[in-house]
């Protein structure tokens, strides 16, 4: 009976890697479709957004400009303190710079989209309304009236 | 082949983010120069639903302190009830309007006014905004079930516009001021 069992130990056949590129391509396409490009590096701490149920999704990314309001990240705290500050594009700026920021953002859009510009306010939930109100007043002066308070969906 | 696609995959992993932007969408009123004399628009007291949020994140609704959980219910009640009786101070007045497709309906004159302090926390402010918008959405659902037998989100775009005419979303935010000091 022993001759049925072969003498040398059988090695399992290697897993075929022929379909590996296909699988990886599938993953690539998944990431290309479901993600968006990272816009700007944050100089402030990532805002801990408030939670809300009645949110809408901002469809047209090209119309949206972001304003971050949050405490400066650790390496900038010596310079700006620990109270929430405003980040426009790639720099921490004063409230008075918002008008200029809106103007520049509008210029980068196609002319017939400019009136539909949306400013997305990404504000840390710990921030006080004072700074938010100042930003809103500046936005009104700059005639950027469509705003969205960025939130995290609840349930 | 696999190496190249791996490289591309890693590039996309690093250069992109997953988060989609969701938010509460609002329109700001156009800027008015405070030095210019503005004619004050007279709004009857009974048409206003005043929500005050103080520096300790406490609510005062229609001159009475209110628990946060009751805000949505009481706002919805305010939006759904109306009468033109001047002596009734609780509910807002209305105008009769004929809307194509439905006929004559009562359109509420209600305006929700939110006032906050500079020291109110942003979190609370958003919660209040969320509750008010939620109240409006619930009222929209009430009307769309009444006239179209469907919830608001299932309506066609022109039907949604009709509902929006019946219940116009009027949320006013007062010019910033300090309620109760710094």
């Amino acid at each position: 009976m022993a001759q049925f069992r072969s003498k040398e130990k059988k090695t399992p056949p290697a897993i075929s890697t022929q379909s590996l590129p296909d699988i990886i391509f599938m993953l690539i396409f998944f990431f290309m479709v479901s993600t968006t490009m990272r816009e700007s590096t944050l100089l402030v701490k990532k805002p801990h957004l408030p939670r809300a149920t009645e949110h809408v999704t901002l469809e047209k990314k090209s119309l949206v400009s972001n304003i971050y309001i949050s405490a400066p990240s650790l390496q900038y705290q010596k310079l700006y303190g620990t109270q929430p500050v405003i980040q426009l594009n790639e720099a921490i700026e004063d409230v008075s710079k918002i008008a200029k920021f809106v103007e520049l953002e509008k210029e980068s859009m196609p002319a017939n989209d400019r009136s539909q510009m949306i400013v997305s306010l990404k504000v840390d939930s710990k921030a006080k309304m004072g700074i938010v109100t100042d930003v809103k007043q500046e936005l009104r002066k700059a005639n950027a009236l469509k705003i969205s308070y960025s939130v995290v969906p609840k349930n | 082949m696999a190496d190249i696609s791996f490289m591309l995959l890693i590039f996309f992993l690093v250069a992109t983010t997953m988060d989609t932007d969701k938010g509460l969408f609002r329109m700001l009123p156009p800027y008015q120069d405070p030095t210019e004399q503005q004619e004050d628009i007279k709004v009857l007291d009974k048409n206003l639903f005043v929500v005050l949020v103080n520096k300790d994140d406490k609510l005062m609704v229609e001159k009475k302190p209110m628990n946060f959980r009751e805000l949505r219910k009481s706002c919805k009640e305010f939006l759904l009830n109306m009468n033109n009786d001047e002596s009734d101070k609780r509910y807002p007045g209305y105008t009769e309007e004929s809307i194509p497709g439905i006929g004559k309906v009562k359109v509420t004159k209600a305006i929700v006014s939110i006032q906050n302090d500079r020291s109110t926390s942003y979190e609370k402010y958003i919660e209040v905004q969320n509750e008010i918008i939620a109240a409006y959405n619930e009222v929209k659902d009430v009307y769309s079930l009444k006239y179209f037998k469907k919830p608001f989100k299932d309506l066609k775009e022109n039907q949604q516009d009709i509902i929006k005419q019946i219940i116009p979303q009027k949320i006013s935010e007062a010019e910033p001021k300090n309620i109760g000091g710094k």
Side-chain angles (χ1 to χ4, degrees), chain A residues 133 135-147 149, chain B residues 26-33 38 41 114 125 129 170-176:
Chain A
T133 312
V135 169
K136 270 159 69 186
Q137 284 297 92
E138 285 299 316
L139 286 175
R140 284 174 68 187
K141 280 183 204 166
N143 207 27
L145 300 179
K146 289 185 173 182
I147 59 165
Y149 301 108
Chain B
R26 297 300 318 281
M27 277 297 267
L28 292 173
Y31 183 69
Q32 287 174 343
D33 203 331
Q38 288 289 335
I41 306 159
I114 306 172
Y125 174 78
Q129 290 265 353
K170 284 183 186 155
I171 303 175
S172 134
E173 282 175 63
E175 298 288 322

Side-chain angles (χ1 to χ4, degrees), chain B residues 64-79:
Chain B
K64 284 192 228 44
M66 184 179 273
N67 196 317
F68 178 73
R69 266 166 280 148
E70 289 159 31
L71 177 63
R72 187 188 300 203
K73 205 174 118 242
S74 92
C75 182
K76 192 182 168 188
E77 197 183 299
F78 185 81
L79 293 174

Side-chain angles (χ1 to χ4, degrees), chain A residues 27-152:
Chain A
L27 276 172
I28 289 184
F29 286 132
F30 169 73
F31 277 103
M32 279 168 73
V33 170
S34 65
T35 61
T36 49
M37 279 290 167
R38 214 180 276 275
E39 313 102 29
S40 50
T41 43
L42 280 179
L43 306 177
V44 291
K45 279 185 185 160
K46 190 173 163 44
H48 185 272
L49 297 174
R51 300 159 72 82
T53 51
E54 311 299 316
H55 51 82
V56 286
T57 312
L58 301 179
E59 303 287 355
K60 274 197 164 175
K61 278 271 171 190
S62 57
L63 296 178
V64 179
S65 313
N66 292 309
I67 293 180
Y68 295 89
I69 302 175
S70 180
S73 48
L74 284 174
Q75 67 264 41
Y76 293 103
Q77 285 195 351
K78 271 208 180 108
L79 214 59
Y80 298 103
T82 52
Q83 286 306 302
V85 288
I86 302 160
Q87 181 183 352
L88 309 168
N89 280 339
E90 303 281 315
I92 292 173
E93 298 273 20
D94 190 64
V95 189
S96 54
K97 294 281 185 345
I98 285 176
K100 189 85 194 150
F101 166 77
V102 171
E103 202 180 297
L104 285 174
E105 288 287 304
K106 274 194 179 167
E107 257 170 43
S108 69
M109 287 175 193
N112 47 348
D113 280 351
R114 277 175 202 168
S115 59
Q116 301 188 48
M117 173 185 179
I118 298 169
V119 178
S120 174
L121 295 175
K122 298 204 157 86
V123 186
D124 190 272
S125 51
K126 292 266 176 356
K128 296 288 178 200
M129 274 313 288
I131 189 167
V132 182
T133 312
D134 293 342
V135 169
K136 270 159 69 186
Q137 284 297 92
E138 285 299 316
L139 286 175
R140 284 174 68 187
K141 280 183 204 166
N143 207 27
L145 300 179
K146 289 185 173 182
I147 59 165
S148 155
Y149 301 108
S150 201
V151 295
V152 176

Side-chain angles (χ1 to χ4, degrees), chain B residues 3 8 14 37-38 52 56 67 80 84 89 94 99-101 107 117-118 128 130 132 134 163-164 175 177:
Chain B
D3 298 358
L8 279 169
V14 172
Q37 269 301 320
Q38 288 289 335
L52 295 168
D56 301 318
N67 196 317
L80 278 174
N84 269 349
K89 291 272 180 270
Y94 60 87
I99 285 163
V107 175
D117 189 78
R118 286 187 71 86
V128 170
N130 187 51
I132 303 285
I163 297 296
K164 279 180 196 162
E175 298 288 322
K177 57 183 166 190

